[in-house]
Amino acid sequence: MDPMMNNLNDYSSLDPFDVKLVEDKHHFPSTSGGELTLTASGGYNKALAWFEGDLSSDSYDFRKPNVNVHIPPGYGQYYMQLGYKKITNIDFQYAPPTISNVSYDDSKSELFINGDSFYYQFLDGNKNKITIQKVVIDGIAIEERDIQVTIEHTQIKIKNFTRVIPGPISIFLSIDDTTIEKNYTHCFTPIITSITSVSNTLGGIITIKGSFLSYNTTPTNSNSFSTTIKIGDKICKFINSTTKEIVCQLDSNNGGSNLPISILFNMSKCPESVNDKFRYTYSVPTLINGTSDNGLVTLYGINIGREIDSIIQISGEDINQPINLSND
C-alpha cells in the first residue's frame, strides 16, 4: 500500500464524488495559506488531502455540505488531491498580490511595499535563493538584487531606491505568473520638518524646510509647477524653492495659531497635502543670538518686539555669565 495510505482503516470504502471547489475570486487563499471551501456528494466520513504530493495532516468530514480545507503556503496555480481508492484532483490558485500602502526611508534609500500574497524567497536544489517577485515602478523593472521580502508574504523592501521630487509613482507587482490586478499608485507628498514664524501685523518671508518640496532638483525662483502654499486660509506667495526648502511671502492679516499648512502642486495628480505634524502660529518669538557685557544683556531675535528683527536689552548687576539661548 502507498505509504500515504497508512492508518486509513477507519475510512469508508466509498470515495466522494462530484467534488467541487466553491469558487469565489475574492477569497482565494493568501500565499501564506488559508482555507478553501469544497462541496461533495457522498463519500466517507473522513478524508485526507495531498497538495502536489505532500500529505496534509488534517482530516475532513465530508458528511457536511461544505468542507473548509486548510491550504498550505504557496503561490500561483496549485492543485490538491482527495481520496482513498479513487483520487480526485482539484485545481485552485492563490490570491494575486495586493498592496495596501507604501513608505519610504530617504535616509537609507529604501522603499517598503506593504500588502499581502507576496510569498517569499525560497531555496533551489543547491540552496540558492530564488526571487520570484517582479516589481516595476513607472515602467522600470527593479533589479532582482534590490528586491527583498523582509516580512514573509506581507512586505517587500526595494533597496537603492532614491526619490527627491513629489508626485505619484505607479507600482506593478507579480509573483511568478500571478500579477497584481491593478497597478498601485503611491504619492510622494511634501514633508515639513520646520517652518519660520512671522508677525501677522507685518507679514514677512516664511521658510519651510523638509522633503519633496519642489519638482525642480536645482534651486529655482520659477513657479512653473504652480505651487500653492496656504497657511490656514491665507496664500503664501511663492518666491523660490528646492526639493528641501520653500520660501514664500505672507501678507499681514488677522493672524491665528495652530493653523494647518498645505502645499499643492497643481500639475501633480496627487491630492493637496495638508501637514498633520506641523501647525502654524503667527508671531512666535525666536531668539537668534545674545551677548552679555558689563551687566548689559542684549538679545537678538524675531518677533520679540514690534519689528520683525528686534533687539531686547536687559541691564542689572552681576549679569556677566555666558548667554544660553533656547526657543523651547
Side-chain angles (χ1 to χ4, degrees), residues 249-299:
Q249 173 75 42
L250 191 61
D251 294 335
S252 59
N253 55 74
N254 295 328
S257 61
N258 199 34
L259 301 174
I261 308 163
S262 68
I263 300 174
L264 174 64
F265 300 97
N266 295 330
M267 294 183 66
S268 170
K269 296 181 181 179
C270 293
E272 180 180 22
S273 171
V274 179
N275 192 275
D276 294 324
K277 183 177 180 180
F278 279 88
R279 294 278 174 156
Y280 190 81
T281 298
Y282 285 92
S283 305
V284 174
T286 302
L287 296 177
I288 298 175
N289 196 4
T291 62
S292 174
D293 184 22
N294 294 323
L296 180 64
V297 175
T298 303
L299 302 177

Side-chain angles (χ1 to χ4, degrees), residues 189-313:
T189 56
I191 297 173
I192 298 174
T193 57
S194 69
I195 184 169
T196 59
S197 178
V198 298
S199 166
N200 66 291
T201 59
L202 298 172
I205 294 177
I206 288 177
T207 300
I208 301 171
K209 293 186 177 183
S211 305
F212 309 114
L213 298 180
S214 175
Y215 272 88
N216 295 290
T217 56
T218 57
T220 180
N221 57 8
S222 170
N223 195 10
S224 56
F225 289 96
S226 302
T227 306
T228 301
I229 308 118
K230 292 173 67 176
I231 307 295
D233 60 354
K234 306 299 181 184
I235 296 294
C236 192
K237 299 174 184 176
F238 178 90
I239 296 177
N240 57 60
S241 69
T242 69
T243 57
K244 296 289 187 181
E245 180 179 288
I246 290 181
V247 179
C248 60
Q249 173 75 42
L250 191 61
D251 294 335
S252 59
N253 55 74
N254 295 328
S257 61
N258 199 34
L259 301 174
I261 308 163
S262 68
I263 300 174
L264 174 64
F265 300 97
N266 295 330
M267 294 183 66
S268 170
K269 296 181 181 179
C270 293
E272 180 180 22
S273 171
V274 179
N275 192 275
D276 294 324
K277 183 177 180 180
F278 279 88
R279 294 278 174 156
Y280 190 81
T281 298
Y282 285 92
S283 305
V284 174
T286 302
L287 296 177
I288 298 175
N289 196 4
T291 62
S292 174
D293 184 22
N294 294 323
L296 180 64
V297 175
T298 303
L299 302 177
Y300 302 87
I302 300 172
N303 298 324
I304 59 176
R306 294 184 179 180
E307 302 295 332
I308 296 177
D309 297 315
S310 308
I311 298 174
I312 294 178
Q313 290 186 326

Side-chain angles (χ1 to χ4, degrees), residues 56-277:
S56 168
S57 60
D58 299 321
S59 62
Y60 303 98
D61 186 351
F62 275 88
R63 293 173 299 178
K64 301 177 182 178
N66 292 310
V67 178
N68 292 326
V69 177
H70 177 72
I71 306 299
Y75 67 93
Q77 297 291 329
Y78 222 67
Y79 70 88
M80 72 177 80
Q81 295 176 309
L82 289 170
Y84 176 37
K85 294 182 178 180
K86 177 183 178 182
I87 302 299
T88 300
N89 288 337
I90 300 174
D91 296 322
F92 66 94
Q93 72 178 67
Y94 287 90
T98 58
I99 299 175
S100 57
N101 62 77
V102 172
S103 61
Y104 177 59
D105 185 343
D106 60 350
S107 66
K108 297 180 179 179
S109 298
E110 294 177 341
L111 186 76
F112 293 90
I113 303 173
N114 300 298
D116 197 13
S117 291
F118 295 161
Y119 202 61
Y120 52 92
Q121 292 170 314
F122 63 94
L123 302 179
D124 64 11
N126 296 320
K127 296 187 177 180
N128 297 314
K129 281 190 175 181
I130 303 298
T131 300
I132 61 171
Q133 294 78 20
K134 180 181 180 181
V135 181
V136 179
I137 298 179
D138 285 345
I140 300 175
I142 302 300
E143 294 285 344
E144 181 179 310
R145 64 176 179 270
D146 290 331
I147 301 174
Q148 179 182 355
V149 180
T150 46
I151 302 177
E152 289 188 359
H153 309 286
T154 62
Q155 186 181 81
I156 292 176
K157 179 173 72 175
I158 306 298
K159 298 179 290 184
N160 301 315
F161 183 88
T162 301
R163 177 84 177 194
V164 295
I165 63 173
I169 59 172
S170 176
I171 303 175
F172 169 85
L173 181 61
S174 68
I175 310 300
D176 199 31
D177 293 328
T178 305
T179 66
I180 192 170
E181 292 183 346
K182 181 180 179 182
N183 282 21
Y184 182 86
T185 299
H186 172 72
C187 277
F188 288 92
T189 56
I191 297 173
I192 298 174
T193 57
S194 69
I195 184 169
T196 59
S197 178
V198 298
S199 166
N200 66 291
T201 59
L202 298 172
I205 294 177
I206 288 177
T207 300
I208 301 171
K209 293 186 177 183
S211 305
F212 309 114
L213 298 180
S214 175
Y215 272 88
N216 295 290
T217 56
T218 57
T220 180
N221 57 8
S222 170
N223 195 10
S224 56
F225 289 96
S226 302
T227 306
T228 301
I229 308 118
K230 292 173 67 176
I231 307 295
D233 60 354
K234 306 299 181 184
I235 296 294
C236 192
K237 299 174 184 176
F238 178 90
I239 296 177
N240 57 60
S241 69
T242 69
T243 57
K244 296 289 187 181
E245 180 179 288
I246 290 181
V247 179
C248 60
Q249 173 75 42
L250 191 61
D251 294 335
S252 59
N253 55 74
N254 295 328
S257 61
N258 199 34
L259 301 174
I261 308 163
S262 68
I263 300 174
L264 174 64
F265 300 97
N266 295 330
M267 294 183 66
S268 170
K269 296 181 181 179
C270 293
E272 180 180 22
S273 171
V274 179
N275 192 275
D276 294 324
K277 183 177 180 180

